[in-house]
Amino acid sequence: MLILGVETSCDETAAAVVKDGGLVLSNIVSSQTELHAPYGGVVPEVAARDHVKNIIPIVDQALQKAKVNLKKIDAIAVTKGPGLVTSLLVGVDTAKSLAYTTKKNIVGINHLEAHVYASQLQEDGQEKPVGLKFPLIYLIASGGHTELVLMEDHLKHTTIGATRDDAAGEAFDKIAKLLKLDYPGGPEIAERANSGNSRSYAFPRPMLEQGYEFSFSGLKTDVLRLVKKNKYKLPPQAINNICASFQAAVAEVLTTKTIKAAQEHQARMIVIGGGVSANRLLRWTLQKKAQNELEEVKLLIPDVKYCTDNAAMVAALGFYYAREGKFNAWDKLKVEPNLNFSQSKKC
Ligand code: KG4
Ligand code: ZN
């Protein structure tokens, strides 16, 4: 089954063609990072205008690269939420127009649920990834969300914990801004951390022992206090040390809670997704801890290039909806900017 995926929830315009929920025939992503960098964050109006400009050429490129035309596509999967309303509208309206004119089935996809399926993607000639085994614990750590989710099957999941305030990626971005580093903050902080000492600052591990909830806004306040104490003039090595210490705190909290959730729910697998899952320290810490503390629990970590937003993961999840015949009437499909994880089954 060939699914065309479309993703415009934030600042990436993306389209992809994926076969049978895993084989990536094309994956085109146009990132707006440079457009938003001067503002230190995504400007919704700027994002939407750029999506409008790019969406048709990007869909075209995805079809061409996959060497298919729309007639060969079995269904269209498009991110309906969560995300920026004006950005989502561009993708959803484009997908609806394509579905209507070509009489194809369409399904609206929850972006958070789609990140799970980044772990299932494979390119031609690559080994097929291990399939999802349930029950599994899914950690989504992105710019807008940090949640631990128990998945009992495809399309069947319950959120067991979420952040009370900032998402992990948001904390990376805000702290990078405080330290006058570039946007997006995650990769910048990770890079600086490589030259820093993670023991230099004893940042707290927020809510480490308190269930599956997270809180990252306090870390931002701690860094702000440090920056103020130094009269906004921190030497480069101190910045590197702050980055390393902060990154270590976030990685420890995310890892500890994910492992605990897997133990308590007798999970057969742990899957991570979202932009923060590209973080090397987090990937390494999880691998180490899973090896030491979990027997027979497989840890699935997506290829770095599929951790951040893309349409291949949307198309991959679209396959599981299509397989069950779960589609949306094209005129009823609406954007849902505030969609959360547990609402994704609503079709
Ligand atoms: O999933 P994503 O691409 O977009 C959302 O759906 O939010 O995640 C973007 C977030 C940003 O906050 C970015 O700073 C963070 O992921 N990020 C990272 C890394 N790469 C991206 N955070 C930590 N380390 C990284 N290497
Ligand atoms: Zn995302």
Side-chain angles (χ1 to χ4, degrees):
M1 200 186 288
L2 285 186
I3 309 283
L4 169 68
V6 177
E7 155 67 42
T8 61
S9 63
C10 190
D11 61 341
E12 264 91 26
T13 319
V17 178
V18 174
K19 191 176 171 200
D20 296 339
L23 182 63
V24 181
L25 303 189
S26 65
N27 178 42
I28 311 291
V29 183
S30 164
S31 173
Q32 306 174 356
T33 302
E34 280 178 24
L35 275 182
H36 301 288
Y39 308 101
V42 178
V43 183
E45 176 67 18
V46 175
R49 282 169 190 250
D50 205 60
H51 285 311
V52 170
K53 203 168 79 193
N54 288 325
I55 187 71
I56 297 293
I58 293 289
V59 169
D60 244 358
Q61 276 182 50
L63 292 170
Q64 274 180 32
K65 176 107 197 285
K67 299 196 176 65
V68 293
N69 55 31
L70 268 175
K71 273 196 203 138
K72 293 243 170 75
I73 295 289
D74 293 292
I76 300 174
V78 60
T79 300
K80 64 177 177 181
L84 301 169
V85 62
T86 43
S87 288
L88 289 164
L89 274 168
V90 180
V92 167
D93 283 350
T94 305
K96 279 163 72 170
S97 312
L98 293 175
Y100 179 75
T101 49
T102 57
K103 299 195 169 52
K104 298 289 174 190
N105 283 318
I106 185 168
V107 58
I109 293 292
N110 182 327
H111 178 91
L112 304 177
E113 190 182 9
H115 270 296
V116 182
Y117 290 82
S119 68
Q120 298 298 293
L121 298 173
Q122 147 215 15
E123 281 149 43
D124 197 18
Q126 275 181 348
E127 208 178 311
K128 199 170 181 224
V130 181
L132 300 183
K133 289 190 176 57
F134 304 99
L136 68 78
I137 289 294
Y138 168 49
L139 169 73
I140 163 100
S142 70
H145 295 83
T146 297
E147 286 186 33
L148 272 169
V149 176
L150 171 66
M151 280 184 77
E152 281 153 297
D153 205 340
H154 294 289
L155 321 186
K156 203 168 167 214
H157 32 66
T158 319
T159 300
I160 57 171
T163 181
R164 287 187 173 179
D165 40 57
D166 290 351
E170 190 177 359
F172 271 96
D173 294 337
K174 286 180 173 169
I175 285 172
K177 205 169 175 179
L178 278 176
L179 298 173
K180 299 198 168 52
L181 303 179
D182 286 344
Y183 172 85
E188 281 293 310
I189 289 187
E191 178 65 34
R192 291 295 202 119
N194 285 337
S195 318
N197 178 353
S198 62
R199 297 206 175 128
S200 302
Y201 298 95
F203 290 131
R205 275 48 178 162
M207 303 182 75
L208 195 62
E209 303 301 330
Q210 284 137 288
Y212 301 128
E213 296 208 314
F214 300 93
S215 167
F216 293 108
S217 69
L219 281 168
K220 184 187 59 198
T221 317
D222 287 332
V223 175
L224 178 62
R225 213 173 286 135
L226 256 174
V227 172
K228 278 189 176 159
K229 204 168 125 193
N230 287 277
K231 304 201 166 45
Y232 296 88
K233 278 191 196 123
L234 282 157
Q237 189 53 46
I239 293 184
N240 296 347
N241 292 342
I242 293 175
C243 289
S245 306
F246 159 73
Q247 181 182 247
V250 174
E252 187 180 335
V253 172
L254 292 175
T255 301
T256 306
K257 292 192 183 239
T258 305
I259 299 283
K260 190 164 153 233
Q263 283 165 335
E264 290 187 2
H265 291 87
Q266 282 95 44
R268 295 174 68 198
M269 196 171 243
I270 293 174
V271 183
I272 60 170
V276 180
S277 64
N279 186 274
R280 277 178 43 201
L281 180 72
L282 174 64
R283 295 161 83 94
W284 184 83
T285 317
L286 259 172
Q287 253 155 1
K288 273 267 157 265
K289 219 168 157 88
Q291 240 168 37
N292 294 341
E293 295 180 26
L294 300 174
E295 275 173 38
E296 293 174 33
V297 180
K298 173 92 188 144
L299 173 65
L300 269 195
I301 300 187
D303 196 321
V304 169
K305 80 162 177 267
Y306 295 126
C307 286
T308 45
D309 291 350
N310 64 81
M313 64 187 194
V314 175
L317 172 56
F319 165 78
Y320 290 92
Y321 280 92
R323 198 176 65 165
E324 310 241 314
K326 289 186 169 173
F327 297 110
N328 295 100
W330 77 269
D331 55 339
K332 299 258 164 54
L333 176 58
K334 298 213 163 33
V335 296
E336 298 184 45
N338 299 319
L339 190 65
N340 59 42
F341 209 96
S342 49
Q343 287 169 312
S344 53
K345 281 169 283 180
K346 229 174 38 179
C347 240

